[in-house]
Amino acid sequence: MTQNVATPSPLPDTMQAVICHGPEDYQLERVAVPRPGPGEALVKVEAVGICASDLKCYHGAAKFWGDENRPAWAETEVIPGHEFVGTIVQLDETAAARWGVTVGDRVVSEQIVPCWKCRYCLRGQYWMCGPHDLYGFKRRTPGAMAEYMIYSADALVHKVSADLPAHHAAFAEPLSCSLHAVERAGITFDDVVVVAGCGPIGLGMVAGAAAKSPAKVIALDLAPEKLALARECGADLTINIAEENAEQIIKDLTDGYGADVYLEGTGHPSAVPQGLNLLRKLGTYVEYGVFGSDVTVDWSIISDDKELNVLGAHLGPYCWPAAIRMIESGRLPMDKICSHQLPLTEFQRGLDLVASGSESVKVSLIP
C-alpha cells in the first residue's frame, strides 16, 4: 500500500530537471515526475550540492583525466546530483518499515545503492559493492538536480532534522566522506594531524580530526579565507603554503620528526609528495582527493625511507549518523561553508563556481 502525502493539490505530472546529454552538454528540461515502485520512496528535493565528482562528469571522465582511453563512468541521459536532502512524498509500507520513516519526514540517502549480494556487501563492505548504482551517475538511479527523485529500494536512508536549512542538511554527504577518511587514519591523542585543503572535504576532515582530540590539527591551503574557516572548524594551526614553508614549520613543531597523520583532500598532484615529505617515519597517509591527472611520487619514501602506512578512502560508510549529528549540533560554521545557494535554473553558474575553485566553498542548487 502506498502512502500519499496530504497536500492541497495532487502531484504534478512534470517537473524541471537537469539532464546530462554528454560532456559539457547539460540541459534544463521538463520531464515526467517519477513514480515509486515497490519498496521505493518518492522524495521532493529540497537541496542538492555540487562537488568535484559532478564537475568531473560534466567535463567527461576521459577529458577530465586527459586520457581518451579511460572509460566514462557517468552515463548520459541521466539526472546528476548525489549529495541531497528531501521530504518523503510517497512510499509503501515496505519502505516505511525498512527505513523507519513516513510521509513528511526529511531524509537523506547515501550516494551508493548497493546490490547487497556481492562479496563486499555480504561482508558489510557495502561502499565497495561491485555492481552498485550511484545516484546521478547511472540511469537506474537518477540524481537530485530535479524537483523530485526516487530513493531506491536498496538505498541507505537517514532522517535529518527539519530545523536545519536544506543546504546544510545536504552537506551530510561530503561530511560523511570526510569522517570516513578520519576514521581510516586511526588518529590517537598524541598525534599531530595535517589536513591538506580547506574545501568542503578538507574542512570536514579538520572537524572530524579535531573531534578525535589529537595533540594538534594543522590545516594547509592557499586561500586565507578558507584557512580562517578551518580555524572555526577546529584547526589549532593554519599554514598558507603559498607564503610559508609547511614542512619546516611542522618539523619545528615535532622536534624534527614530522606529522603523524596526513589527510589529503585537495586532489592536486603536488599535495601527494607534500604529504609524504611532511610525515614522520611510520606515519599514516590517507588519500581522498579526486585527481585530474596522474600523480608520480618517489615510492622509496613510502618504503625504504619511512615505511609509511598509505591508505585510500572512498565514500562515507557508517559515518552518516555522525555527520548528521555534527551538522545538527551547530558546531560547524555551516552558513560560511555553504557559501552559495542557487535556483535549479542556474545550474551552469553553479558548475562554473565549483570549477573556479576560489569563489565558493560549497555550492548548492535549490529546486
Side-chain angles (χ1 to χ4, degrees), residues 178-197:
S178 302
L179 297 186
H180 177 51
V182 170
E183 290 279 79
R184 291 280 282 162
I187 295 168
T188 67
F189 295 132
D190 292 330
D191 284 341
V192 171
V193 180
V194 176
V195 176

Side-chain angles (χ1 to χ4, degrees), residues 192 194 216 218-220 237-241 243-259 278:
V192 171
V194 176
K216 199 174 290 293
I218 302 171
L220 313 180
L237 175 67
T238 58
I239 299 174
N240 188 324
I241 59 173
E243 301 173 355
E244 302 172 276
N245 186 327
E247 183 176 353
Q248 189 60 54
I249 292 171
I250 291 166
K251 285 191 174 180
D252 289 345
L253 286 170
T254 57
D255 297 324
Y257 288 104
L278 286 176

Side-chain angles (χ1 to χ4, degrees), residues 276-343:
L276 300 180
N277 290 322
L278 286 176
L279 284 168
R280 63 164 171 83
K281 294 179 180 180
L282 302 175
T284 298
Y285 180 113
V286 180
E287 181 57 62
Y288 203 99
V290 177
F291 292 98
S293 60
D294 292 339
V295 180
T296 301
V297 298
D298 180 359
W299 278 77
S300 294
I301 299 173
I302 298 167
S303 57
D304 191 48
D305 292 355
K306 294 186 177 181
E307 194 176 323
L308 299 176
N309 298 309
V310 179
L311 304 170
H314 177 60
L315 304 185
Y318 302 109
C319 291
W320 282 72
I324 292 167
R325 288 196 303 270
M326 187 175 285
I327 296 169
E328 291 176 343
S329 73
R331 289 168 50 198
L332 300 179
M334 292 302 302
D335 284 333
K336 297 178 182 178
I337 293 173
C338 296
S339 57
H340 291 73
Q341 296 83 53
L342 306 172

Side-chain angles (χ1 to χ4, degrees), residues 114-171:
C115 72
W116 301 114
K117 297 175 182 177
C118 72
R119 168 182 180 151
Y120 301 106
C121 288
L122 293 175
R123 294 184 178 191
Q125 301 160 332
Y126 69 87
W127 68 102
M128 299 304 297
C129 172
H132 66 277
D133 283 327
L134 277 172
Y135 289 111
F137 300 110
K138 303 284 186 76
R139 295 189 193 97
R140 290 192 301 261
T141 46
M145 291 188 190
E147 295 178 80
Y148 294 89
M149 67 180 297
I150 295 291
Y151 284 7
S152 169
D154 289 323
L156 295 108
V157 175
H158 308 276
K159 287 185 187 179
V160 187
S161 170
D163 296 330
L164 291 174
H167 50 289
H168 293 187
F171 193 70

Side-chain angles (χ1 to χ4, degrees), residues 52 64-65 196-197 264-272 287-293 295:
F64 183 93
W65 284 95
E264 202 292 301
T266 71
H268 194 284
S270 66
V272 180
E287 181 57 62
Y288 203 99
V290 177
F291 292 98
S293 60
V295 180

Side-chain angles (χ1 to χ4, degrees), residues 40-105:
E40 297 180 335
L42 177 65
V43 174
K44 183 172 177 55
V45 179
E46 296 181 56
V48 52
I50 303 175
C51 83
S53 294
D54 294 308
L55 197 65
K56 175 180 176 181
C57 290
Y58 173 71
H59 288 298
K63 180 177 179 180
F64 183 93
W65 284 95
D67 181 359
E68 296 302 323
N69 295 317
R70 186 183 290 270
W73 49 273
E75 297 176 353
T76 57
E77 312 307 317
V78 69
I79 299 171
H82 66 278
E83 50 183 69
F84 47 79
V85 66
T87 302
I88 296 176
V89 174
Q90 290 180 350
L91 81 171
D92 60 20
E93 293 176 352
T94 299
R98 178 172 186 180
W99 297 324
V101 298
T102 189
V103 168
D105 283 346

